[in-house]
Amino acid sequence: MTKGQHVPLRTCVVCGNKTVKAELVRIVATPPGEVKVDPTGKLPGRGAYVCADGKCAQESLGKSR
């Protein structure tokens, strides 16, 4: 990484942890209404991120999320 390069941060919708985009998995609601895992991060539609390591997969979403 070069000096001054921007590193995108995203927030996990389950635990609220902010981390680099590469450590999260993107879940997408596509325009036709399907929900898909987006490994490339380029699918069209509304996306949300969850931790890729699976730590927060067991937790339920809070009321505010």
Side-chain angles (χ1 to χ4, degrees):
M1 185 179 336
T2 62
K3 186 176 179 181
Q5 185 176 357
H6 174 72
V7 178
L9 294 178
R10 300 292 184 264
T11 303
C12 172
V13 296
V14 178
C15 67
N17 185 30
K18 289 188 180 187
T19 187
V20 293
K21 187 177 174 181
E23 293 180 11
L24 299 169
V25 175
R26 185 173 184 242
I27 310 292
V28 179
T30 63
E34 299 173 326
V35 176
K36 296 183 177 184
V37 174
D38 182 12
T40 64
K42 297 180 190 264
L43 285 176
R46 188 73 167 163
Y49 292 87
V50 293
C51 293
D53 61 5
K55 287 190 299 184
C56 56
Q58 306 303 322
E59 297 178 33
S60 63
L61 294 174
K63 291 181 181 179
S64 65
R65 299 203 183 262

